[in-house]
Amino acid sequence: MKKTSGLTLMELLISLGILSILLGLALPNFRAMAQSVSGDVTLRKLANAIQFGKATAITNNATVTLCRSDDGSDCGGNWQDGVMLFIDSNRNREFDGDDDLLRHITFPDGNGSIRFRAFQNKQYLQLTSLGTTRDQNGNFTYCPYTGENVFARQLIINRTARLRFAQDSNGDGVREDSRGRPLDCD
């Protein structure tokens, strides 16, 4: 008798059925993990840009400005489209003249929005040669387009340009802002 190797049609159908059930169970968890990671990565890129700007301001004895920029050539657009970091030689918060572009950072995932809330409602962040902000404190909040607060993330910056990420201190699954209130994407 000849021994054959391989699968019968019935074995193949049963294997595919089991595989599809396992994928169906894992897919929602994978989506949740991807949404969670998206906010973390976005705000970490922003934090790295701010830290780089702070170090550059100190090293060059200059003012460095961080502003929203979708094209990397001027300030404007939405925060989630990208940011521009530059040495602002005349401190006018505009990229012009003798200003040096340090970085243009984009956030490629497009799964959420970023808003910046700061003292005096300024839509830029300036770092001084002392490594502090120019009398600004505030936060960058990332919200997924689904609006689910459990995936909201926040980067908090104080006047001394120290950064920290919002934490979930009460264990309810939603992170709290600097005042202890749950992050809200509405």
Side-chain angles (χ1 to χ4, degrees), residues 48-67:
N48 288 340
I50 293 169
Q51 293 290 35
F52 178 73
K54 182 178 177 178
T56 303
I58 293 168
T59 304
N60 293 315
N61 195 29
T63 298
V64 172
T65 298
L66 175 82
C67 67

Side-chain angles (χ1 to χ4, degrees), residues 114-176:
I114 301 171
R115 69 177 181 255
F116 180 53
R117 302 245 167 123
F119 182 67
Q120 299 177 354
N121 199 27
K122 297 176 181 175
Q123 287 302 298
Y124 59 87
L125 181 67
Q126 282 191 312
L127 302 161
T128 70
S129 60
L130 298 174
T132 63
T133 66
R134 290 195 69 197
D135 299 318
Q136 290 178 272
N137 59 340
N139 59 66
F140 290 91
T141 304
Y142 171 88
C143 284
Y145 287 133
T146 61
E148 297 174 75
N149 294 336
V150 295
F151 300 119
R153 301 291 184 259
Q154 190 173 75
L155 175 64
I156 302 164
I157 184 166
N158 68 15
R159 291 178 66 187
T160 61
R162 293 196 65 191
L163 304 173
R164 68 182 176 93
F165 292 94
Q167 301 294 317
D168 178 16
S169 59
N170 62 6
D172 68 350
V174 178
R175 296 171 190 229
E176 291 87 27

